[in-house]
Structures are given as C-alpha cells and as structure tokens.
Amino acid sequence: MSGSKALGGARRRRTRCRRCQACMRTECGECHFCKDMKKFGGPGRMKQSCLLRQCTAPVLPHTAVCFSCGEAGKEDTVDTEEEKFSLSLMECTICNEIIHPSCLKMGKAEGIINDEIPNCWECPKCHKEGKTSKDGGDGSGKRRMDNGEVGRWKLTDDPPPTKKKPPSSLEDGGRQDGHKRKKEKELPQDSGPKKKMKGAHEKRLKKKQKPNVSETAESNGPNSSTGGGQGSGGGSNSTQSPTSTASQDQRSHHREKLERFKRMCQLLERVRESSSSSSSSSESDSESDSDSPSGSEGRRGSEPSSPVPVTYSNSARERNRERDRERDRRLAELGFSASEDSEGSVKEEEEEAVEEQVVGDKPRRRGEGPPRGRKGLTTDGNDEESGERSRKSTPLPPPSPLSSTQPPPSSGHGPSPGSEGFSGKRSNGSETRNGRTRAGVRDRETQEKENANNSSGGSVANHRHGTGKGNKGNKIRSNKQTGSQPTSRNSSNSSASTATTTSNGGGGAGSNFSGGMSALAASPRSQPSRMAPRSQMMKRSPPAVPSPPRPVQMERHLVRPPPACPEPHCLPLDSGSSHVMPRDVWLRVFQHLSQRELCVCMRVCRTWSRWCCDKRLWTQIDLSRQRSITPPMLSGIIRRQPVSLNLGYTNISKKQLMWLINRLQGLLELNVSGCPWSSVSALCQAACPCLRLLDLSRVEDMKDSHLRELLAPPADTRTANGESRGGRFQNVTELRLAGLDLTDVMSRLLVRYLPHLTKLDLSQCGNITDQTIHTLTSPMSPLKDSLTHLNLAGCVKVTEQCLPLLRRCASLQSADLRSCTLLTPDACQLLSFPCPDDRVLLKNS
DNA sequence: GTTAACGTGTCG
DNA sequence: CGACACGTTAAC
C-alpha cells in the first residue's frame, strides 16, 4: 500500500545536525529571518531559520531508514571507515533513495559521494544509468527535487554572493523590501494569506502532475557528474543555462544563491569565531565555480565551496586533494557497493531456513488471551508502518526496491537496471509532499499522537537512562534560545548514542551486524578496478564539516510510559454522549482481534488508541521473520511490555536486542531463533531473571562456547559467590537448541546452569551423542528430575543406549526420538508417558 | 500539542 | 530573481 512509499524514493526532509557551529550558535536576532520570528517581535510568517544558523551539514531525519532493508544507519556500530560507509544511510541526490550502500544490489556499482552533505551521494544506480543531477558537473551534490529543483541545502559552486551584503546589511535590505509586503498583507490581514493559499494549492497540485523535468534532463543529460551541466537541458549546474527548463533552473539557481549567501554568512561568522578553521577543505567560493566542470578537479573545486572558510590557501587545497585521493583509493578498494549477490543469497537462505524451522515460533502457547493472529506487531502507528513494510518485503526475500511497492524508486532506481522512467518519481514526490496522505506518515502521526498522549508525565524509559550524562537532550532548544552556549549539544548527542550500550554495560562489546548486514560486511570486495573513473568516484574527502555521526535511531526514539491519567472508561461520541459500550466491553472485543487489526483500531480515535494498547492485548508479540526491526517497533514493544516476544529470524542487531532485553524485565519467553549469534550474544550481557523460555534454535554460528558464555553467570557474580550458583538464565524452564552445532559439552552446561529445565529441545543437533543424555540424566543432574519433555528428533548420533538412560528421568513425559537413524525404526518415535506410572519407555508405541 | 524550520510556490 | 508565504515535516 501506500505505506511503503514512506520508504526510499520519497524525499525526506533533512534536519539540522545540531552539531555544526551554525547549529550551535544562537540566533542573531538581526537577520531578517530572525526579525520575522515571533520571538523577535516579527510576524513569524517566514518560518526560516536564522541566517547564521543555517546548518552546514544537514542530516537525514532519524526516522530515515534504508529503502532496501528498512533499517536505520548503523555506521556507529562499526569501526572501520569502510564499514561505516557501507552501513550508513546514503541518500541519492538524484533518485532520493535512501539506502545502505551495503544493501545495494548493484555489482560493480559506482557512486559519487557528496562530501559536503552527510549521507549524500549519487547512487551507483543512477550513476550507472547515466542519470546525473543536473548540476552534474560540479558534483556539489545538489539534490534534484521532484520538480527538478535543487534543494536549498545543497551547496553550490556559484560564485559567492558577494553582491549580497553580509548578514546584517542584507537583512536591512531585505527588510525594507519585505516590509512593504508585510504592510500590505498585514493591513488587510486575511486577504494576503487567503489569496495566496488558494492559488498555491491549485498550483501545487498542478505542479505535482507535471511530468518530470528531471526525466528529460536525464535523458539528455550528459551523464557523469563531471560532465558540464551545460549540455544537459536539465538544470545545468548552478549556473542557470538558458534552456527551456530555465524556470526551474532559475529557481534552483536562485535558491542556490541564497544558500551560498547563507553559507557565506556562516563562514564569516565562523572565521570570526574561530581563527583557524580546522576543516578548511575548501577553496574559495568564487573559485569553485560550478561552471568549471572539468573533471574531478572541477568537482573538487566545488566541494570546498561547502560550508567552509571563505579563504582558503593553496596548502589547504592540496590537503584536500590529497585527502580526496586517499579516500578515492580507499573506497575504490572497498568497492563500496557491497556485495549484492552475496546478500541476496543470504537472505534467501534465511527464508529457506525459516521454512524448515522446526521449533516453530508459531507455537504460541501463552494462551491466556483468545487466539489472535500474530505477525506484524504494530505498535502505535509506527509499528504498523514498519510492520507493513516488513510484511511486504518478507514475501520477497531479496528486498529489491523493485519488488517493494514503491513505485517511484523502483522505476527510477530499483535494482532493475534499465529503468528509466522517472515519471513515477515525480508523482511520488508529490505524494511525499502531501505526506499526510501517505499511510506511512499517517501511521507516524498516529503514533506521535499517541505518544504525545502519553507523554507529559515524563519520558521515562527513554534509552538515555543508564548514563548519567544523557540528561537533557530536550533542553537544547531552550538553551539555544536563551543564548546559553549549548556546548552540551555535542555531549548530549554522544551521550544519547552511548546511552544504550552503557545501560547494558556493553558499550564496548561493539555490536556486530547481523543478518543480512553481515553478509554485506563480509563481502570482501577489494578490486580497485571496479571503479572506473576513479577520480570522480567515491570521492569522499572529509566533509568540510564533519558529518555528525548519526545517532542510532533507536536511541533517539522516546519510549514513553503510559499516560498517567487513567484510561477513559467510555467512548465519547461526536454527539457528546458516550457510546453504550464501556471500555471493558470494548476490550473484550479487541481481544478477538489480531495484532494487526488492533493497530488499525488504534487509528480510529484516541480512545481506541489507548484501549488497544492495553497490555493484556499484547502479552505476546511476534515479530518473527520481520526483515528488520525498526526503532518504532522497539519502542512499541517496550510500551507493551509483552510477556512473550518472538524475534525469530529477524535481523535484529545486538544493540537492539540489548536495548530491548534490558527494558523487558518481565519477559517470560524469548525467541531469537534463527538470529545470528552476533546479535544473540547481546543476551550475554543481559539480565532477565524472569525468563522461562528461551528459544535459541538455529541461531547462526552458535557454538558450545557461546552457550557457556550465555549461561554462565556474570563474572562478578561468580567471584562474589565464590562458586557460580545459578547462571544468568537459571530460571529458564524451557530451552530450545534445535538445529545447533552443539556437542555433548553443552549438556554439562545445561546441568550446571539450568537446574529447573523441564523442556529441552535438542532436535536436529547432529553432534550430540548418548553422552548428552547420560549427563542430563545422571544422578548428579537436577534435570533428571525436572525434565518432562525432551526432544532429540534428528539427533543422528544418538543410539539405543539412550533409552535406558531416559528412564532415569523421573518426570519425563515425552521424548521425541524420531529421525534418530541409529535407533531401530521402532524406537524412532515420539515416546510419551501419559501418566507417571506408565512412564516406561515405549519403544514401540 | 507545540515549536522550529524545510521545501517550494507565488508575487513583485 | 529575490523576497515572502506557508504547508508540511521533524523533533520534542
């Protein structure tokens, strides 16, 4: 549905980085945008940020996710630059698609990285297809808007707006100008706005239908970013070419100028403030004329135009070049387009694995509530959104943008090579603009609303707890406004990003990537040759303003506690009266709905939204096989505090899992089957004393040593008690280890650390032998009395000898010995012991 | 719900 | 082409 559109393709507005100097400074109060602000006594109509506060490195909103895998940027979880790059989200200036380079399916692809804007590039796909951002040549990374325009945040190589006056003076100029206007409008109060609105709307609509200019441009666009924009009919680079598309170009040009001007202001400011700009990677604006699209050099020239010092020195330039070269080389080596193929196959395998999964995650036994369809947890609107997304993608293993329901990106960009039609794009863009109509957005809104609902009280479980430093990310704004130097911004940022790990004390345990990501990361491509025109490829000199590390989404996602106020007991109707059915009755109805349906209900009205969030309706949450676990999903889980959580076969990361587990202290059942050990290892640092069921079936790469790590009590505990008492999961009564590559060593761990185990699933563990059964049932083993169910199906090394051993289990009710090929056919069965007295090994029954 | 401000349309 | 206006989005 439309929901998918919320993903890639659709343009995403960027937001300030909050870290650059511009962001950190306070409003000047003097520029005309400031003067327009209400707080400075203005009418507040312009709604623009202070000229001196124009962010120099606008970032993707933290809600941005990869078009392909649906996950957020994860660059902060790896160390090497290459990895960081391939795991960060990159937004294409041409197709607007946001994707992890590592998720790209294109082989040998080459992308052009925009050094000036964080997470910005011309994706390999577009580049390969010869699409170029109009400004192609300059490589400044201007992003093409839906209508072919260039976003304001794109830097340009235009000659510096020298003509413009510095901020102060400018404001004056503009002021007067605007003044007139304002007067006109202010006097007739409404006339102005009204008139405009009407017109605007109509026109906007029209515009949206307009055929893509970009298309045209693209078609003739000479391609490579280096190529001078001139030739292309499209919006040549900043210099507006007098072509038919002029109007748009002009607009962009215009905007670019504005941009440049703003930047100039900043630069000036900065120069003033800090004598030496460390990041002086720029060449003067005047110099970096986009018009000189000559090869990489030309492009380079433009780069510097970025937010940096107006004055540059040759040495600085040299440094730049060197850096560029260096980066080129590195990236070329990396062949940054992560290996698509391998990824695909991995995913497929995963899917297959899912199919054969024996220990189903489906067996939802926490009966308590009426049966409900699970799948697709949807928490708030958000979850719904993500759920929707994953649902969609799930059926199609290789998450190709094409497959996804996203028209725009797919057409323009999908992995499918020859796609050209940008037609979809435009329409898409429009939709984006009308965002509100998009399901995804709606969902978000819903959630937001709900959150808002519940907020107030205090954002409790927000991940920042844990560290002492994370106090107050919220005050930033006020700080800013009061003029206090928000020096804390940086720290608050970083603290936020570390909070998660800190809280689990696992900060250092660098979270590895799991699932599909691992495949990517693993791809060892290192053929420099891949990148043809290296010079223009992957240029990635350190951004003038170091792009602020994107905080992991989830960390910034607030998880608010349920509202303090009691839930309404009745449903208010428009008429003013209340619906005859009180809350309790409604809840009974809701109990019969699937989680998905509940999410739909949550969008009906606020009251229903709250009711549907009732924990009783969400005792079990099943996210199994959701291709990606998104921050909203995580917070949705936390809010619902399920008793049973199924994360089987998801790509949840270690960090996410840690974050989650540490906030689900009441969790009784956890299923992480099919997840990579690199993620599951998060449990080694978690504490879930209540856990009763742990499903580790088919955890990828899980070994005996891992199990030990998992079950053994924390080191400090051990030393404290001298001897390890119970392990971390000592209260677990049901453990599923199906399909793992474990040996008999494992049995000793179980005996030692899981004394209360009643149900043990060792099916498909091909390496275990009778020794395991012996250990489990030995006189010294507490399990010999506790075990009631033992699954040894498919344990091909188990022999007849285990049968007498099993008899030693006093409480054993069933033993599954099917597919144990060393047993006689007769013995290969599901042995059951209905009542204690009959507990005899029924080899033949 | 509120605030900041981005992105784009419109006017002069 | 610059300035202004404002719907919409992001963050809180």
Side-chain angles (χ1 to χ4, degrees), chain A residues 375-388 391 595-600 602 618 621 623 636 640:
Chain A
K375 197 80 210 173
L377 147 100
T378 36
T379 11
D380 313 341
N382 248 346
D383 298 312
E384 171 66 1
E385 181 183 343
S386 18
E388 190 89 343
R391 244 170 267 133
Q595 294 182 352
R596 188 171 185 175
E597 290 164 334
L598 281 175
C599 292
V600 173
M602 290 178 69
W618 299 89
I621 292 180
L623 287 173
R640 288 165 174 73

Side-chain angles (χ1 to χ4, degrees), chain A residues 576-604:
Chain A
S577 58
S578 294
H579 192 280
V580 291
M581 283 168 62
R583 172 168 172 273
D584 291 346
V585 179
W586 278 113
L587 282 184
R588 290 197 188 173
V589 173
F590 292 146
Q591 283 184 343
H592 294 279
L593 301 180
S594 68
Q595 294 182 352
R596 188 171 185 175
E597 290 164 334
L598 281 175
C599 292
V600 173
C601 291
M602 290 178 69
R603 286 188 254 164
V604 170

Side-chain angles (χ1 to χ4, degrees), chain A residues 465-503:
Chain A
H465 70 14
T467 28
K469 42 180 175 177
N471 40 349
K472 236 42 320 199
N474 303 348
K475 294 302 172 197
I476 291 177
R477 201 153 276 161
S478 42
N479 277 347
K480 187 196 322 176
Q481 295 182 348
T482 52
S484 65
Q485 191 56 11
T487 49
S488 63
R489 211 162 278 165
N490 267 329
S491 58
S492 81
N493 225 342
S494 55
S495 68
S497 56
T498 51
T500 300
T501 47
T502 316
S503 64

Side-chain angles (χ1 to χ4, degrees), chain A residues 45 58 87 104 317 435 474 495 533 591 639 641 748 764 814:
Chain A
R45 279 190 295 234
L87 293 179
L104 269 175
R317 200 183 308 168
N474 303 348
S495 68
Q591 283 184 343
R639 284 197 59 196
Q641 289 291 309
R748 291 201 292 274
Q764 312 298 324
S814 76

Side-chain angles (χ1 to χ4, degrees), chain A residues 525-553:
Chain A
R525 36 186 42 311
S526 52
Q527 288 111 354
S529 54
R530 280 210 182 164
M531 340 269 7
R534 247 229 252 131
S535 53
Q536 23 172 320
M537 236 118 245
M538 341 288 286
K539 289 210 319 181
R540 229 194 163 195
S541 61
V545 171
S547 53
R550 271 168 59 78
V552 168
Q553 284 187 2

